């Protein structure tokens, strides 16, 4: 793989040579507690799938199960359709990069990268060629003879990536590989990994609790909660059409507005919001008239209006604060006990705090859930 990269002009599209990974009905238990419950996920050849979720939701456990460090109580892991359950980690064709660099401190960068190949007893000339190619892929060839202590965090993580790639893995597993890096370095390495992953078309699973990282790196993301997958879809779909209030709140900011269905109008529902407005929304599933519902509106779905512009579709609120963040203005608003965040383009001076009205933009399509889905 490393010796035959795709031409640079094709770098954006993964070559079709990658391998397919399936997790089929995986359940993992630690003593009495279940850490992963009935997870079925497929990763297509050359795809990056991000496992995203809060601390303790089972991301690392699932990744370690794929790697072969954990034996699941039920379910199986398949590479290209073949179960790998019986194989130890070293024979599953997986390359792993951990959060902590996990380089051997007494070895040079080149020796670290060579380690996995030597363990596989590859011929000396092949080892040398693959080590050089792997270090070049992560742009670390000039540091081949340095020990980890003489490398920065980002450089150590590049060497760790080279080590994982050198064995030409069928599957690349990345466990929070950027967590120990500062923001600028993290962005650098994220782009680097994406570039290398695209170039070699290696099927990748990335564990992260950082939604921005998952959004920017992944082709699809699986949002996990308490050992289960709540949604698996492309990042834009997860953002625009979250499968649950939890997903809406975990990926992006979600303003929660409670209300009741007043009437059905064709494919839309008229909803009386508790904050004191009546809005019309399409619903992906059926709701009964009178049913309590939850509207999860993104900050860019809502707009600030003049307090004097009273309309049935807008509701009274109080602007507490407006913060300029880059090209945007973030308004912090309260309507009774309901707090909201609104995004607007920054134009001129921010409005002063005080009474305002808030309305849903006519083009906005916030997610609508039965109130019982909120947890
Ligand atoms: P984080 O983002 O904090 O790393 P995670 O989503 O990767 O979290 P896991 O590390 O997979 O979560 O842990 C899932 C659950 O299993 C947690 O409740 C955790 O406390 C528990 N757990 C993890 N490892 C063990 C272990 N070796 N023994 C017992 N329980 C464990």
């Amino acid at each position: 793989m490393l010796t035959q990269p795709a031409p640079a002009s094709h770098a954006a599209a993964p070559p079709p040579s990658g391998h397919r990974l399936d997790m089929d009905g995986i359940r993992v238990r630690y003593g009495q507690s279940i850490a992963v419950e009935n997870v079925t996920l497929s990763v297509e050849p050359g795809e990056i799938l991000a496992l995203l979720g809060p601390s303790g939701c089972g991301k690392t456990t699932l990744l370690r199960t794929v790697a072969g460090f954990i034996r699941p109580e039920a379910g199986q892991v398949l590479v290209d359709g073949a179960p790998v359950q019986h194989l130890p980690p070293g024979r599953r064709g997986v390359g792993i990069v951990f959060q902590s660099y996990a380089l051997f401190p007494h070895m040079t960068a080149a020796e670290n990268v060579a380690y996995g190949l030597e363990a596989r007893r590859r011929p000396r000339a092949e080892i040398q060629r693959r080590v050089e190619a792997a270090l070049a892929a992560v742009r670390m060839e000039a540091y081949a003879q340095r020990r980890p202590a003489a490398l920065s965090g980002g450089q150590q993580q590049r060497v760790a990536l080279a080590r994982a790639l050198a064995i030409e893995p069928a599957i690349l597993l990345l466990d929070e590989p950027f967590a120990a890096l500062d923001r600028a370095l993290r962005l650098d390495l994220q782009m680097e990994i994406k570039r290398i992953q695209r170039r070699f078309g290696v099927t990748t699973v990335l564990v992260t609790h950082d939604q921005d990282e998952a959004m920017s790196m992944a082709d699809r993301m699986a949002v996990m909660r308490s050992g289960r997958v709540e949604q698996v879809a492309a990042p834009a779909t997860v953002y625009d059409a979250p499968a649950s209030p939890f997903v809406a709140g975990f990926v992006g900011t979600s303003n929660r507005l409670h209300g009741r269905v007043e009437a059905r109008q064709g494919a839309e529902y008229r909803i009386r919001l508790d904050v004191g407005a009546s809005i019309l929304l399409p619903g992906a599933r059926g709701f009964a008239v009178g049913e309590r519902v939850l509207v999860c509106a993104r900050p860019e779905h809502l707009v600030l209006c003049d307090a004097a512009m009273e309309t049935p579709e807008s509701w009274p609120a109080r602007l507490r604060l407006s913060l300029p963040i880059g090209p945007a203005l973030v308004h912090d608003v309260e309507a009774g006990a309901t707090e909201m965040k609104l995004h607007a383009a920054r134009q001129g001076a921010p409005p002063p705090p005080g009474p305002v009205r808030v309305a849903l933009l006519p083009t906005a399509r916030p997610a609508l859930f039965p109130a019982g889905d909120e947890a």
Side-chain angles (χ1 to χ4, degrees):
M1 174 181 66
L2 281 171
T3 47
Q4 291 178 318
S9 58
H10 295 159
S17 57
H19 299 266
R20 181 188 168 90
L21 170 68
D22 288 287
M23 297 159 238
D24 184 15
I26 305 276
R27 188 198 300 138
V28 179
R29 186 194 289 273
Y30 294 114
Q32 288 305 301
S33 72
I34 291 180
V36 171
E37 176 64 305
N38 195 21
V39 167
T40 295
L41 281 173
S42 296
V43 194
E44 299 297 327
E47 185 182 40
I48 301 189
L49 178 85
L51 300 178
L52 177 70
S55 184
C57 71
K59 309 178 293 289
T60 297
T61 299
L62 187 57
L63 196 82
R64 291 175 68 83
T65 305
V66 172
F69 297 121
I70 293 175
R71 208 181 178 76
E73 183 181 84
Q76 54 180 355
V77 176
L78 304 103
V79 175
D80 294 331
V84 292
Q85 221 62 1
H86 55 290
L87 297 174
R91 294 193 49 218
R92 289 193 177 195
V94 294
I96 311 171
V97 180
F98 297 103
Q99 172 176 345
S100 56
Y101 318 121
L103 296 176
F104 298 114
H106 59 286
M107 292 184 185
T108 64
E111 286 165 353
N112 265 284
V113 176
Y115 182 81
L117 297 166
E118 279 164 358
R120 286 168 175 75
R121 301 185 190 285
R122 313 304 303 185
R124 181 165 298 277
E126 182 190 329
I127 292 178
Q128 191 178 346
R129 181 170 47 77
R130 286 219 222 165
V131 168
E132 281 170 11
L135 283 172
V138 299
R139 303 182 215 229
M140 285 295 290
E141 58 271 60
Y143 300 85
Q145 299 313 318
R146 289 223 192 152
R147 296 230 168 116
L151 297 172
S152 73
Q155 290 169 336
Q156 289 183 53
Q157 208 52 327
R158 279 167 197 256
V159 174
L161 179 62
R163 185 173 62 179
L165 289 170
I167 60 162
E168 301 188 350
I171 312 289
L172 182 62
L173 303 177
L174 306 172
D175 190 358
E176 304 253 11
F178 316 107
L181 306 177
D182 67 39
R183 202 180 158 82
L185 261 184
R186 191 181 308 177
L187 193 62
D188 264 3
L189 197 65
Q190 283 171 352
M191 290 166 100
E192 189 83 0
I193 288 190
K194 183 104 183 174
R195 182 182 66 77
I196 292 167
Q197 192 273 344
R198 282 284 181 268
R199 185 166 162 220
F200 296 114
V202 56
T203 308
T204 302
V205 182
L206 166 71
V207 160
T208 179
H209 61 261
D210 179 340
Q211 47 159 306
D212 291 337
E213 190 165 291
M215 295 284 274
S216 60
M217 296 279 296
D219 297 305
R220 287 186 307 144
M221 53 208 235
V223 184
M224 292 185 66
R225 178 195 201 187
S226 307
R228 293 175 186 271
V229 173
E230 290 231 345
Q231 185 170 18
V232 52
T237 306
V238 172
Y239 187 83
D240 294 336
S244 66
F246 168 79
V247 173
F250 192 78
V251 179
T253 301
S254 165
N255 293 299
R256 294 183 170 212
L257 300 165
H258 293 89
R260 186 179 297 282
V261 176
E262 274 188 332
R264 183 168 185 158
Q265 295 178 217
E268 298 186 307
Y269 295 93
R270 177 149 297 281
I271 294 156
R272 159 71 42 190
L273 295 176
D274 295 354
V275 285
S278 174
I279 61 169
L280 204 55
L281 275 187
R285 41 182 151 169
F287 296 92
V289 172
E291 186 174 347
R292 293 287 299 165
V293 288
L294 174 67
V295 178
C296 291
R298 298 294 185 196
E300 62 275 18
H301 288 158
L302 302 175
V303 61
L304 217 55
C305 311
D306 198 307
M309 298 267 289
E310 222 171 290
T311 60
E313 297 82 23
S314 67
W315 59 93
R318 197 174 74 82
L319 175 62
R320 294 198 292 207
L321 187 70
S322 296
L323 283 182
I325 298 181
L329 205 52
V330 179
H331 302 300
D332 178 21
V333 171
E334 64 181 0
T338 306
E339 298 186 353
M340 284 165 274
K341 294 231 172 352
L342 280 64
H343 279 191
R346 185 157 54 83
Q347 294 164 329
V356 289
R357 289 188 80 81
V358 175
L360 192 65
L361 277 171
T363 50
R365 290 287 171 266
L368 183 59
F369 301 103
D373 280 8
E374 190 175 24

